[in-house]
Each structure stands twice: as C-alpha cells, then as structure tokens.
Amino acid sequence: MGKACMVIMGHKEIEDLEKVQTFRDIEEFAGSSVVLDPDDVIFSSMIDSAGAPFSVGTPNKGKDVTIIVYGEEEA
C-alpha cells in the first residue's frame, strides 16, 4: 500500500531541510516548507514502500522531482 504525495517536477529548495536516509537513487529529506511557482508542474500521486512515486509519466523518466509526502506530524 502506498502513501499519498504531491510530485513537483524538478528540484525545489525546502526550508529547514534535513537528510533522513538514502535508498538506491532516492534521497529522503524532512523539511518545513517549499515555495511553489505558478509555472511549476505539480500533480498528485502515490509512493511505494521505497519512497518512489508510482508514476511520473514516461516523458519524465530520469528527471529530478521533488516529492512531498502527506503525513501525520509527530507530537
């Protein structure tokens, strides 16, 4: 079962960024906020257990993406 996420095509700077882990070609970070531009390509998706999005489309294969996973904030 996957987790819901937002995919932003390309690299985005995220405030208070902190590296959590690396798995294969996927780097996982935690941060507090990201600034979106009107021309950003953004869509909803799901990620698998390794943190990879289910699909970003064949034309986007190999491109950098920023993935924001919806999660519960720990108290």
Side-chain angles (χ1 to χ4, degrees), residues 7-51:
V7 177
I8 308 165
M9 294 307 301
H11 174 80
K12 298 298 286 186
E13 294 296 324
I14 299 174
E15 291 184 25
D16 303 322
L17 196 63
E18 194 175 305
K19 192 168 193 172
V20 175
Q21 68 178 345
T22 301
F23 179 74
R24 296 186 186 151
D25 292 337
I26 298 171
E27 295 177 307
E28 181 181 340
F29 295 87
S32 62
S33 66
V34 63
V35 176
L36 300 175
D37 298 319
D39 59 339
D40 284 336
V41 176
I42 304 167
F43 55 92
S44 296
S45 186
M46 299 286 284
I47 60 167
D48 62 19
S49 61

mmCIF file of all heavy atoms in Angstrom, residues 7-51:
data_model
loop_
_atom_site.group_PDB
_atom_site.id
_atom_site.type_symbol
_atom_site.label_atom_id
_atom_site.label_comp_id
_atom_site.label_asym_id
_atom_site.label_seq_id
_atom_site.Cartn_x
_atom_site.Cartn_y
_atom_site.Cartn_z
ATOM 1 N N VAL A 7 3.811 15.520 -6.298
ATOM 2 C CA VAL A 7 5.044 15.479 -7.072
ATOM 3 C C VAL A 7 5.211 16.819 -7.768
ATOM 4 O O VAL A 7 4.287 17.314 -8.409
ATOM 5 C CB VAL A 7 5.007 14.344 -8.117
ATOM 6 C CG1 VAL A 7 6.269 14.359 -8.968
ATOM 7 C CG2 VAL A 7 4.842 12.992 -7.440
ATOM 8 N N ILE A 8 6.390 17.419 -7.608
ATOM 9 C CA ILE A 8 6.733 18.669 -8.283
ATOM 10 C C ILE A 8 7.887 18.342 -9.213
ATOM 11 O O ILE A 8 8.928 17.841 -8.772
ATOM 12 C CB ILE A 8 7.175 19.756 -7.284
ATOM 13 C CG1 ILE A 8 6.134 19.923 -6.169
ATOM 14 C CG2 ILE A 8 7.433 21.074 -8.001
ATOM 15 C CD1 ILE A 8 6.634 20.697 -4.970
ATOM 16 N N MET A 9 7.708 18.580 -10.500
ATOM 17 C CA MET A 9 8.775 18.296 -11.452
ATOM 18 C C MET A 9 9.938 19.250 -11.211
ATOM 19 O O MET A 9 9.740 20.456 -11.072
ATOM 20 C CB MET A 9 8.269 18.433 -12.891
ATOM 21 C CG MET A 9 7.217 17.398 -13.268
ATOM 22 S SD MET A 9 7.704 15.684 -12.971
ATOM 23 C CE MET A 9 9.172 15.565 -13.980
ATOM 24 N N GLY A 10 11.138 18.692 -11.108
ATOM 25 C CA GLY A 10 12.337 19.491 -10.883
ATOM 26 C C GLY A 10 12.703 19.574 -9.413
ATOM 27 O O GLY A 10 12.001 19.084 -8.527
ATOM 28 N N HIS A 11 13.831 20.209 -9.157
ATOM 29 C CA HIS A 11 14.353 20.373 -7.800
ATOM 30 C C HIS A 11 13.777 21.637 -7.178
ATOM 31 O O HIS A 11 13.749 22.674 -7.812
ATOM 32 C CB HIS A 11 15.879 20.468 -7.847
ATOM 33 C CG HIS A 11 16.488 20.777 -6.529
ATOM 34 N ND1 HIS A 11 16.673 19.811 -5.566
ATOM 35 C CD2 HIS A 11 16.930 21.939 -6.004
ATOM 36 C CE1 HIS A 11 17.223 20.380 -4.505
ATOM 37 N NE2 HIS A 11 17.386 21.664 -4.741
ATOM 38 N N LYS A 12 13.305 21.557 -5.952
ATOM 39 C CA LYS A 12 12.800 22.708 -5.213
ATOM 40 C C LYS A 12 13.576 22.846 -3.909
ATOM 41 O O LYS A 12 13.922 21.847 -3.274
ATOM 42 C CB LYS A 12 11.310 22.541 -4.874
ATOM 43 C CG LYS A 12 10.384 22.448 -6.059
ATOM 44 C CD LYS A 12 10.375 23.682 -6.925
ATOM 45 C CE LYS A 12 9.628 24.817 -6.293
ATOM 46 N NZ LYS A 12 9.480 25.988 -7.153
ATOM 47 N N GLU A 13 13.869 24.069 -3.528
ATOM 48 C CA GLU A 13 14.508 24.330 -2.232
ATOM 49 C C GLU A 13 13.450 24.241 -1.140
ATOM 50 O O GLU A 13 12.369 24.805 -1.269
ATOM 51 C CB GLU A 13 15.157 25.716 -2.219
ATOM 52 C CG GLU A 13 16.332 25.851 -3.172
ATOM 53 C CD GLU A 13 17.507 24.937 -2.808
ATOM 54 O OE1 GLU A 13 17.764 24.729 -1.599
ATOM 55 O OE2 GLU A 13 18.145 24.426 -3.737
ATOM 56 N N ILE A 14 13.775 23.526 -0.074
ATOM 57 C CA ILE A 14 12.846 23.331 1.037
ATOM 58 C C ILE A 14 13.493 23.858 2.307
ATOM 59 O O ILE A 14 14.652 23.559 2.597
ATOM 60 C CB ILE A 14 12.473 21.836 1.181
ATOM 61 C CG1 ILE A 14 11.789 21.362 -0.100
ATOM 62 C CG2 ILE A 14 11.592 21.615 2.408
ATOM 63 C CD1 ILE A 14 11.490 19.885 -0.143
ATOM 64 N N GLU A 15 12.741 24.661 3.065
ATOM 65 C CA GLU A 15 13.273 25.252 4.294
ATOM 66 C C GLU A 15 13.480 24.196 5.365
ATOM 67 O O GLU A 15 12.747 23.217 5.439
ATOM 68 C CB GLU A 15 12.311 26.330 4.801
ATOM 69 C CG GLU A 15 12.277 27.549 3.912
ATOM 70 C CD GLU A 15 11.394 28.646 4.474
ATOM 71 O OE1 GLU A 15 11.195 28.692 5.708
ATOM 72 O OE2 GLU A 15 10.915 29.443 3.669
ATOM 73 N N ASP A 16 14.496 24.434 6.209
ATOM 74 C CA ASP A 16 14.813 23.550 7.339
ATOM 75 C C ASP A 16 15.046 22.106 6.892
ATOM 76 O O ASP A 16 14.645 21.159 7.563
ATOM 77 C CB ASP A 16 13.707 23.584 8.410
ATOM 78 C CG ASP A 16 13.455 24.980 8.937
ATOM 79 O OD1 ASP A 16 14.439 25.729 9.100
ATOM 80 O OD2 ASP A 16 12.291 25.328 9.175
ATOM 81 N N LEU A 17 15.714 21.945 5.746
ATOM 82 C CA LEU A 17 15.921 20.621 5.158
ATOM 83 C C LEU A 17 16.920 19.807 5.965
ATOM 84 O O LEU A 17 17.971 20.298 6.364
ATOM 85 C CB LEU A 17 16.421 20.781 3.717
ATOM 86 C CG LEU A 17 16.341 19.560 2.835
ATOM 87 C CD1 LEU A 17 14.888 19.136 2.659
ATOM 88 C CD2 LEU A 17 16.945 19.862 1.488
ATOM 89 N N GLU A 18 16.565 18.550 6.194
ATOM 90 C CA GLU A 18 17.391 17.640 6.972
ATOM 91 C C GLU A 18 17.342 16.258 6.322
ATOM 92 O O GLU A 18 16.259 15.724 6.082
ATOM 93 C CB GLU A 18 16.770 17.571 8.376
ATOM 94 C CG GLU A 18 17.599 16.964 9.431
ATOM 95 C CD GLU A 18 16.881 17.085 10.777
ATOM 96 O OE1 GLU A 18 16.515 18.195 11.169
ATOM 97 O OE2 GLU A 18 16.671 16.027 11.405
ATOM 98 N N LYS A 19 18.501 15.677 5.998
ATOM 99 C CA LYS A 19 18.532 14.368 5.356
ATOM 100 C C LYS A 19 18.106 13.282 6.338
ATOM 101 O O LYS A 19 18.567 13.235 7.462
ATOM 102 C CB LYS A 19 19.928 14.061 4.822
ATOM 103 C CG LYS A 19 19.965 12.863 3.902
ATOM 104 C CD LYS A 19 21.283 12.787 3.183
ATOM 105 C CE LYS A 19 21.216 11.804 2.055
ATOM 106 N NZ LYS A 19 22.409 11.851 1.224
ATOM 107 N N VAL A 20 17.200 12.417 5.876
ATOM 108 C CA VAL A 20 16.690 11.333 6.712
ATOM 109 C C VAL A 20 17.380 10.025 6.349
ATOM 110 O O VAL A 20 17.889 9.330 7.211
ATOM 111 C CB VAL A 20 15.157 11.201 6.571
ATOM 112 C CG1 VAL A 20 14.635 10.002 7.354
ATOM 113 C CG2 VAL A 20 14.472 12.477 7.029
ATOM 114 N N GLN A 21 17.396 9.685 5.037
ATOM 115 C CA GLN A 21 18.022 8.442 4.597
ATOM 116 C C GLN A 21 18.224 8.447 3.093
ATOM 117 O O GLN A 21 17.673 9.273 2.389
ATOM 118 C CB GLN A 21 17.180 7.233 5.004
ATOM 119 C CG GLN A 21 15.856 7.125 4.279
ATOM 120 C CD GLN A 21 15.088 5.881 4.685
ATOM 121 O OE1 GLN A 21 15.633 4.968 5.292
ATOM 122 N NE2 GLN A 21 13.819 5.825 4.349
ATOM 123 N N THR A 22 19.013 7.500 2.605
ATOM 124 C CA THR A 22 19.217 7.289 1.175
ATOM 125 C C THR A 22 18.972 5.816 0.892
ATOM 126 O O THR A 22 19.417 4.951 1.623
ATOM 127 C CB THR A 22 20.658 7.651 0.761
ATOM 128 O OG1 THR A 22 20.894 9.023 1.093
ATOM 129 C CG2 THR A 22 20.879 7.456 -0.724
ATOM 130 N N PHE A 23 18.223 5.555 -0.194
ATOM 131 C CA PHE A 23 17.955 4.173 -0.610
ATOM 132 C C PHE A 23 18.058 4.127 -2.124
ATOM 133 O O PHE A 23 17.275 4.775 -2.818
ATOM 134 C CB PHE A 23 16.570 3.726 -0.146
ATOM 135 C CG PHE A 23 16.223 2.324 -0.552
ATOM 136 C CD1 PHE A 23 16.808 1.244 0.083
ATOM 137 C CD2 PHE A 23 15.323 2.080 -1.575
ATOM 138 C CE1 PHE A 23 16.494 -0.057 -0.283
ATOM 139 C CE2 PHE A 23 15.003 0.786 -1.959
ATOM 140 C CZ PHE A 23 15.591 -0.281 -1.307
ATOM 141 N N ARG A 24 19.041 3.406 -2.639
ATOM 142 C CA ARG A 24 19.325 3.357 -4.077
ATOM 143 C C ARG A 24 19.513 4.775 -4.593
ATOM 144 O O ARG A 24 20.354 5.489 -4.099
ATOM 145 C CB ARG A 24 18.250 2.581 -4.819
ATOM 146 C CG ARG A 24 18.188 1.121 -4.415
ATOM 147 C CD ARG A 24 17.227 0.356 -5.271
ATOM 148 N NE ARG A 24 17.081 -1.006 -4.757
ATOM 149 C CZ ARG A 24 16.020 -1.721 -4.893
ATOM 150 N NH1 ARG A 24 14.980 -1.252 -5.550
ATOM 151 N NH2 ARG A 24 15.970 -2.942 -4.419
ATOM 152 N N ASP A 25 18.728 5.201 -5.576
ATOM 153 C CA ASP A 25 18.861 6.554 -6.132
ATOM 154 C C ASP A 25 17.930 7.558 -5.477
ATOM 155 O O ASP A 25 17.814 8.693 -5.935
ATOM 156 C CB ASP A 25 18.574 6.540 -7.640
ATOM 157 C CG ASP A 25 19.639 5.786 -8.414
ATOM 158 O OD1 ASP A 25 20.764 5.666 -7.899
ATOM 159 O OD2 ASP A 25 19.344 5.315 -9.516
ATOM 160 N N ILE A 26 17.261 7.156 -4.385
ATOM 161 C CA ILE A 26 16.276 8.019 -3.740
ATOM 162 C C ILE A 26 16.850 8.555 -2.443
ATOM 163 O O ILE A 26 17.320 7.801 -1.602
ATOM 164 C CB ILE A 26 14.971 7.251 -3.465
ATOM 165 C CG1 ILE A 26 14.371 6.777 -4.787
ATOM 166 C CG2 ILE A 26 13.989 8.118 -2.692
ATOM 167 C CD1 ILE A 26 13.216 5.828 -4.613
ATOM 168 N N GLU A 27 16.830 9.885 -2.300
ATOM 169 C CA GLU A 27 17.253 10.525 -1.065
ATOM 170 C C GLU A 27 16.011 11.045 -0.361
ATOM 171 O O GLU A 27 15.176 11.695 -0.972
ATOM 172 C CB GLU A 27 18.200 11.676 -1.353
ATOM 173 C CG GLU A 27 19.509 11.238 -1.971
ATOM 174 C CD GLU A 27 20.403 12.410 -2.309
ATOM 175 O OE1 GLU A 27 19.927 13.313 -3.012
ATOM 176 O OE2 GLU A 27 21.545 12.416 -1.854
ATOM 177 N N GLU A 28 15.891 10.755 0.928
ATOM 178 C CA GLU A 28 14.730 11.198 1.700
ATOM 179 C C GLU A 28 15.154 12.296 2.658
ATOM 180 O O GLU A 28 16.145 12.170 3.376
ATOM 181 C CB GLU A 28 14.142 10.022 2.486
ATOM 182 C CG GLU A 28 12.925 10.405 3.289
ATOM 183 C CD GLU A 28 12.364 9.233 4.078
ATOM 184 O OE1 GLU A 28 12.658 8.073 3.741
ATOM 185 O OE2 GLU A 28 11.643 9.499 5.051
ATOM 186 N N PHE A 29 14.407 13.394 2.642
ATOM 187 C CA PHE A 29 14.667 14.541 3.497
ATOM 188 C C PHE A 29 13.398 14.910 4.243
ATOM 189 O O PHE A 29 12.302 14.561 3.823
ATOM 190 C CB PHE A 29 15.100 15.754 2.657
ATOM 191 C CG PHE A 29 16.401 15.571 1.939
ATOM 192 C CD1 PHE A 29 16.450 14.986 0.692
ATOM 193 C CD2 PHE A 29 17.585 16.002 2.515
ATOM 194 C CE1 PHE A 29 17.644 14.821 0.013
ATOM 195 C CE2 PHE A 29 18.792 15.846 1.848
ATOM 196 C CZ PHE A 29 18.815 15.247 0.600
ATOM 197 N N ALA A 30 13.554 15.637 5.324
ATOM 198 C CA ALA A 30 12.423 16.227 6.041
ATOM 199 C C ALA A 30 12.649 17.728 6.062
ATOM 200 O O ALA A 30 13.785 18.194 6.184
ATOM 201 C CB ALA A 30 12.347 15.679 7.461
ATOM 202 N N GLY A 31 11.581 18.490 5.906
ATOM 203 C CA GLY A 31 11.686 19.938 5.911
ATOM 204 C C GLY A 31 10.366 20.558 6.294
ATOM 205 O O GLY A 31 9.376 19.859 6.516
ATOM 206 N N SER A 32 10.351 21.899 6.340
ATOM 207 C CA SER A 32 9.145 22.554 6.839
ATOM 208 C C SER A 32 8.286 23.197 5.760
ATOM 209 O O SER A 32 7.071 23.229 5.888
ATOM 210 C CB SER A 32 9.504 23.599 7.892
ATOM 211 O OG SER A 32 10.312 24.601 7.327
ATOM 212 N N SER A 33 8.865 23.732 4.684
ATOM 213 C CA SER A 33 8.036 24.380 3.672
ATOM 214 C C SER A 33 8.784 24.505 2.351
ATOM 215 O O SER A 33 10.003 24.435 2.290
ATOM 216 C CB SER A 33 7.585 25.769 4.139
ATOM 217 O OG SER A 33 8.701 26.626 4.259
ATOM 218 N N VAL A 34 8.002 24.686 1.295
ATOM 219 C CA VAL A 34 8.541 24.845 -0.046
ATOM 220 C C VAL A 34 7.748 25.947 -0.736
ATOM 221 O O VAL A 34 6.549 26.082 -0.521
ATOM 222 C CB VAL A 34 8.484 23.523 -0.851
ATOM 223 C CG1 VAL A 34 7.059 23.066 -1.046
ATOM 224 C CG2 VAL A 34 9.183 23.645 -2.181
ATOM 225 N N VAL A 35 8.434 26.762 -1.540
ATOM 226 C CA VAL A 35 7.769 27.827 -2.285
ATOM 227 C C VAL A 35 7.478 27.309 -3.689
ATOM 228 O O VAL A 35 8.375 26.832 -4.384
ATOM 229 C CB VAL A 35 8.657 29.097 -2.353
ATOM 230 C CG1 VAL A 35 7.999 30.159 -3.215
ATOM 231 C CG2 VAL A 35 8.923 29.631 -0.956
ATOM 232 N N LEU A 36 6.211 27.390 -4.080
ATOM 233 C CA LEU A 36 5.803 26.951 -5.407
ATOM 234 C C LEU A 36 5.672 28.148 -6.334
ATOM 235 O O LEU A 36 5.250 29.224 -5.917
ATOM 236 C CB LEU A 36 4.472 26.206 -5.334
ATOM 237 C CG LEU A 36 4.466 24.959 -4.456
ATOM 238 C CD1 LEU A 36 3.067 24.381 -4.372
ATOM 239 C CD2 LEU A 36 5.458 23.932 -4.973
ATOM 240 N N ASP A 37 6.050 27.962 -7.584
ATOM 241 C CA ASP A 37 5.932 28.992 -8.601
ATOM 242 C C ASP A 37 4.728 28.681 -9.486
ATOM 243 O O ASP A 37 4.368 27.512 -9.655
ATOM 244 C CB ASP A 37 7.197 29.032 -9.463
ATOM 245 C CG ASP A 37 8.433 29.371 -8.643
ATOM 246 O OD1 ASP A 37 8.342 30.254 -7.766
ATOM 247 O OD2 ASP A 37 9.481 28.741 -8.878
ATOM 248 N N PRO A 38 4.115 29.708 -10.091
ATOM 249 C CA PRO A 38 2.947 29.468 -10.949
ATOM 250 C C PRO A 38 3.233 28.535 -12.127
ATOM 251 O O PRO A 38 2.329 27.846 -12.600
ATOM 252 C CB PRO A 38 2.579 30.864 -11.462
ATOM 253 C CG PRO A 38 3.185 31.809 -10.485
ATOM 254 C CD PRO A 38 4.406 31.122 -9.937
ATOM 255 N N ASP A 39 4.482 28.471 -12.590
ATOM 256 C CA ASP A 39 4.806 27.619 -13.735
ATOM 257 C C ASP A 39 5.290 26.217 -13.338
ATOM 258 O O ASP A 39 5.648 25.422 -14.203
ATOM 259 C CB ASP A 39 5.827 28.300 -14.645
ATOM 260 C CG ASP A 39 7.129 28.647 -13.932
ATOM 261 O OD1 ASP A 39 7.123 28.746 -12.694
ATOM 262 O OD2 ASP A 39 8.149 28.826 -14.622
ATOM 263 N N ASP A 40 5.275 25.886 -12.043
ATOM 264 C CA ASP A 40 5.661 24.543 -11.603
ATOM 265 C C ASP A 40 4.654 23.509 -12.100
ATOM 266 O O ASP A 40 3.443 23.751 -12.103
ATOM 267 C CB ASP A 40 5.729 24.454 -10.075
ATOM 268 C CG ASP A 40 6.965 25.102 -9.493
ATOM 269 O OD1 ASP A 40 7.975 25.218 -10.208
ATOM 270 O OD2 ASP A 40 6.918 25.493 -8.310
ATOM 271 N N VAL A 41 5.168 22.352 -12.517
ATOM 272 C CA VAL A 41 4.313 21.229 -12.901
ATOM 273 C C VAL A 41 4.133 20.376 -11.649
ATOM 274 O O VAL A 41 5.091 19.812 -11.125
ATOM 275 C CB VAL A 41 4.951 20.412 -14.042
ATOM 276 C CG1 VAL A 41 4.099 19.187 -14.352
ATOM 277 C CG2 VAL A 41 5.134 21.279 -15.275
ATOM 278 N N ILE A 42 2.886 20.292 -11.166
ATOM 279 C CA ILE A 42 2.575 19.629 -9.900
ATOM 280 C C ILE A 42 1.406 18.677 -10.111
ATOM 281 O O ILE A 42 0.443 19.014 -10.791
ATOM 282 C CB ILE A 42 2.170 20.667 -8.828
ATOM 283 C CG1 ILE A 42 3.269 21.714 -8.666
ATOM 284 C CG2 ILE A 42 1.842 19.997 -7.507
ATOM 285 C CD1 ILE A 42 2.836 22.932 -7.886
ATOM 286 N N PHE A 43 1.507 17.473 -9.527
ATOM 287 C CA PHE A 43 0.383 16.551 -9.595
ATOM 288 C C PHE A 43 0.389 15.619 -8.391
ATOM 289 O O PHE A 43 1.408 15.463 -7.716
ATOM 290 C CB PHE A 43 0.386 15.741 -10.904
ATOM 291 C CG PHE A 43 1.661 14.990 -11.169
ATOM 292 C CD1 PHE A 43 1.813 13.681 -10.751
ATOM 293 C CD2 PHE A 43 2.705 15.601 -11.852
ATOM 294 C CE1 PHE A 43 2.990 12.993 -11.011
ATOM 295 C CE2 PHE A 43 3.877 14.916 -12.115
ATOM 296 C CZ PHE A 43 4.028 13.609 -11.690
ATOM 297 N N SER A 44 -0.748 15.024 -8.113
ATOM 298 C CA SER A 44 -0.887 14.077 -7.017
ATOM 299 C C SER A 44 -0.474 12.692 -7.490
ATOM 300 O O SER A 44 -0.661 12.344 -8.651
ATOM 301 C CB SER A 44 -2.335 14.020 -6.530
ATOM 302 O OG SER A 44 -2.712 15.254 -5.993
ATOM 303 N N SER A 45 0.083 11.910 -6.571
ATOM 304 C CA SER A 45 0.496 10.557 -6.889
ATOM 305 C C SER A 45 0.500 9.751 -5.600
ATOM 306 O O SER A 45 -0.024 10.198 -4.586
ATOM 307 C CB SER A 45 1.894 10.558 -7.538
ATOM 308 O OG SER A 45 2.253 9.277 -7.987
ATOM 309 N N MET A 46 1.104 8.593 -5.665
ATOM 310 C CA MET A 46 1.316 7.735 -4.505
ATOM 311 C C MET A 46 2.777 7.301 -4.561
ATOM 312 O O MET A 46 3.364 7.233 -5.643
ATOM 313 C CB MET A 46 0.419 6.503 -4.560
ATOM 314 C CG MET A 46 -1.066 6.789 -4.570
ATOM 315 S SD MET A 46 -1.703 7.325 -2.993
ATOM 316 C CE MET A 46 -1.755 5.778 -2.102
ATOM 317 N N ILE A 47 3.367 7.018 -3.406
ATOM 318 C CA ILE A 47 4.719 6.470 -3.373
ATOM 319 C C ILE A 47 4.663 5.050 -2.859
ATOM 320 O O ILE A 47 3.772 4.687 -2.091
ATOM 321 C CB ILE A 47 5.683 7.313 -2.511
ATOM 322 C CG1 ILE A 47 5.204 7.404 -1.064
ATOM 323 C CG2 ILE A 47 5.925 8.670 -3.119
ATOM 324 C CD1 ILE A 47 6.238 7.933 -0.112
ATOM 325 N N ASP A 48 5.651 4.245 -3.291
ATOM 326 C CA ASP A 48 5.720 2.869 -2.807
ATOM 327 C C ASP A 48 6.501 2.821 -1.499
ATOM 328 O O ASP A 48 6.908 3.851 -0.967
ATOM 329 C CB ASP A 48 6.316 1.946 -3.874
ATOM 330 C CG ASP A 48 7.743 2.291 -4.254
ATOM 331 O OD1 ASP A 48 8.446 2.993 -3.486
ATOM 332 O OD2 ASP A 48 8.169 1.844 -5.338
ATOM 333 N N SER A 49 6.739 1.631 -0.980
ATOM 334 C CA SER A 49 7.416 1.483 0.313
ATOM 335 C C SER A 49 8.859 1.966 0.293
ATOM 336 O O SER A 49 9.431 2.269 1.330
ATOM 337 C CB SER A 49 7.367 0.020 0.769
ATOM 338 O OG SER A 49 8.034 -0.797 -0.176
ATOM 339 N N ALA A 50 9.471 2.093 -0.900
ATOM 340 C CA ALA A 50 10.844 2.596 -1.014
ATOM 341 C C ALA A 50 10.879 4.107 -1.195
ATOM 342 O O ALA A 50 11.940 4.708 -1.224
ATOM 343 C CB ALA A 50 11.556 1.924 -2.191
ATOM 344 N N GLY A 51 9.700 4.742 -1.322
ATOM 345 C CA GLY A 51 9.645 6.189 -1.483
ATOM 346 C C GLY A 51 9.622 6.653 -2.923
ATOM 347 O O GLY A 51 9.705 7.837 -3.198
#
